[in-house]
């Protein structure tokens, strides 16, 4: 017996269809829900940290100018008639630069000639006075020497005469000393026995016979003896003569000493007169100074006459450019150059000025430093031999690598940069730009500035992490604090809890908070 298949009823078909529709609807809603959730999530672009050196570009505006400059002078105090050039003009050799006023030029020549005549007369008077003083000085010196010789001869003659007199007195005394008489007792006894005039009575002493009156000298006593006896004792006469000779010797000795002292005094005075007369004349350089002024005037007069022969016109001696012009029509010239001309026949150089520099007292370096750009913490060292790229502005001249040859600062703390040019393509004046690039040291963790954020707690970056959710693992945002070490206009070197494999958000479709789910999109 065969079994018949159980028939599918209409109600069963409807149940199957409803379940299918429900399942399809659930799948569609899930897709729509996921699409809506994905659409609501922030869309971000990510990058990784890099190991790199930060670069700092610097653009210096300047000009290409001739390296050799020529100064054009004009005689002083001369009125300018016309000026044919002005600053930055290009001139060729033989072009007219300016001309002097003819009438003023003639007046200056006449005044200069008069000044020369006055100087010549003054020089003659000074030289005549100096020669007269020199002759008088020589005459005074000769007279002083003659007076010294005459005084010396007179003093020496007086001393010699006094010495001879002293020697004669001493000789007379010595001869008298050799003629002293002898006195013996026998002669005295014989006089007493014969009852001569000098005999004494018995019982009387010499004192009783010839008492000395008080107050009488030996000469008075001798005269008394002579008067009593009628004859002088030879010894007494010899003593008296000896005393006279000694007195004479003392007087001659004193006279000799006075002559020697007078000789020393007179010779000293005469010697001092020679010393005074020998003093050099006071140096007077007035004539030499006037001679120098005379030479300058002669040179000025020659220049004025040469300018008059050229009809007062001054022409350029070089092909070049007017760098400075300090004269105008009707102005008066000074000793300074009237025109500074750049010589095109020599090499050129680039000159630029950088205003935004860091003062050396704020740096621990010996070179000049510039901060570029304004929002950068890095600095560029400006020193000699740094290479840069030079390019002409508004010109198709190819770029050229040049080296800085000089760096200097002015009173306004502006930095002046100079670079010598030896390339023929830059052998003409014009505006130019020098591009310099400086690199920092290599930093292990560098990120774009767009990945750097700041908050109340400091600087941070947003790192992408994987977090489990009911929908599975999802990308979420995590704030990571960092410290900025250095930055330029594009990148920043930071320090923090970052690794080279971390993904850092650099751009987002809307603000991202910590813990938010995010959707990474490709560039």
């Amino acid at each position: 017996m065969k079994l018949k298949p159980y028939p599918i009823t209409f109600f069963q078909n409807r149940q199957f269809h409803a379940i299918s529709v429900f399942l399809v609807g659930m799948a569609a809603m899930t897709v729509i829900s996921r699409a809506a959730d994905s659409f609501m999530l922030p869309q971000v672009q990510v990058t990784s940290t890099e190991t790199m050196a930060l670069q700092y570009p610097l653009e210096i505006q300047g000009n290409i100018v001739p390296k050799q400059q020529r100064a054009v002078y004009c005689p002083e105090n001369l009125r300018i008639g016309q000026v044919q050039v002005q600053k930055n003009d290009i001139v060729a050799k033989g072009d007219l630069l300016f001309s002097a006023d003819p009438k003023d030029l003639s007046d200056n020549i006449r005044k200069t000639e008069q000044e020369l005549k006055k100087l010549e007369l003054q020089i003659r008077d000074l030289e005549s006075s100096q020669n007269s003083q020199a002759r008088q000085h020589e005459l005074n010196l000769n007279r002083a020497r003659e007076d010294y010789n005459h005084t010396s001869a007179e003093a020496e003659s007086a001393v010699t005469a006094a010495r001879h007199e002293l020697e004669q007195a001493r000789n007379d005394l010595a001869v008298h000393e050799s003629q002293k008489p002898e006195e013996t007792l026998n002669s005295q006894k014989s006089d007493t026995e014969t009852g001569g005039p000098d005999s004494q009575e018995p019982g009387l002493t010499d004192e009783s016979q010839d008492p000395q009156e008080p107050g009488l000298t030996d000469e008075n006593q001798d005269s008394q003896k002579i008067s009593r006896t009628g004859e002088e004792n030879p010894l007494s006469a010899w003593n008296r003569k000896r005393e006279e000779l000694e007195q004479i010797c003392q007087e001659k000795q004193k006279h000799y000493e006075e002559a020697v002292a007078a000789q020393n005094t007179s010779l000293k005075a005469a010697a001092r007169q020679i010393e005074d007369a020998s003093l050099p004349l006071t140096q007077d350089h007035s004539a030499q100074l006037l001679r120098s002024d005379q030479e300058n005037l002669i040179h000025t007069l020659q220049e004025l006459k040469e300018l008059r022969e050229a009809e007062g016109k001054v022409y350029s001696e070089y092909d070049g450019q007017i760098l400075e012009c300090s004269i105008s029509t009707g102005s008066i010239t000074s000793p300074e150059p009237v025109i500074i001309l750049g010589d095109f026949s020599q090499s050129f150089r680039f000159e630029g000025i950088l205003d935004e520099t860091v003062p050396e007292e704020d740096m621990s370096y010996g070179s000049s430093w510039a901060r570029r750009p304004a929002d950068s913490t890095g600095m560029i060292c400006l020193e000699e031999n740094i290479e840069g790229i030079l390019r002409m502005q508004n010109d198709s001249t190819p770029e050229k690598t040049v080296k800085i040859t000089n760096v200097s600062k002015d009173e306004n703390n502006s930095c002046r940069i100079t670079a010598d040019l030896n390339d023929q393509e830059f052998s003409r004046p014009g505006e130019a730009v020098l591009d310099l690039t400086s690199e920092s040291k290599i930093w292990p963790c560098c990120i774009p500035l767009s990945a750097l954020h700041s908050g109340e707690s400091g600087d941070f970056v947003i790192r992408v992490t994987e977090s489990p959710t009911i929908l599975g693992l999802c990308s979420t945002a995590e704030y990571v604090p960092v410290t900025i070490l250095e930055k330029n206009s594009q990148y920043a070197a930071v320090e923090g809890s970052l690794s080279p494999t971390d993904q850092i958000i650099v751009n987002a479709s809307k603000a991202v908070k910590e813990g938010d789910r995010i959707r990474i999109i490709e560039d």
Side-chain angles (χ1 to χ4, degrees), residues 27 60 108 166 189 253 360 371 419 442 472 485:
I60 302 176
N108 274 269
L166 177 60
K189 288 181 180 181
Q253 178 68 33
E360 293 182 4
R371 183 179 286 118
I442 298 178
L485 302 177

Side-chain angles (χ1 to χ4, degrees), residues 64-68 344-350 390 400-405 418-428:
I64 295 178
V65 297
K67 185 177 180 180
Q68 185 69 38
F344 286 178
S345 63
Q346 305 296 324
S347 58
F348 284 69
R349 66 184 178 189
F350 170 81
L390 182 65
K400 181 67 176 179
T401 301
V402 297
K403 287 185 179 181
I404 294 179
T405 54
T418 302
D420 292 339
L421 307 177
N422 297 320
D423 198 324
Q424 294 297 328
E425 295 178 351
F426 290 94
S427 296
R428 54 190 176 86

Side-chain angles (χ1 to χ4, degrees), residues 357-365 369 371 379 409 413:
T357 58
V358 180
E360 293 182 4
E361 56 268 19
D362 296 340
M363 302 294 299
S364 59
Y365 310 97
W369 291 74
R371 183 179 286 118
M379 279 163 277
K409 281 192 175 182
N413 201 39

Side-chain angles (χ1 to χ4, degrees), residues 71-87 89 96-101 307 312-315 322-340:
V72 180
Y73 292 89
C74 185
E76 188 178 357
N77 297 324
L78 192 62
R79 188 177 300 279
I80 299 299
Q82 291 182 348
V83 180
Q84 304 296 330
V85 295
Q86 58 184 356
K87 188 175 180 179
D89 283 354
L96 178 62
L97 299 178
F98 62 92
S99 60
D101 184 86
L307 187 59
K313 298 180 180 180
V314 178
Y315 300 90
I322 305 299
L323 303 180
E324 293 183 14
C325 182
S326 60
I327 56 174
S328 59
T329 300
S331 63
I332 304 298
T333 58
S334 67
E336 301 297 324
V338 295
I339 291 178
I340 301 297

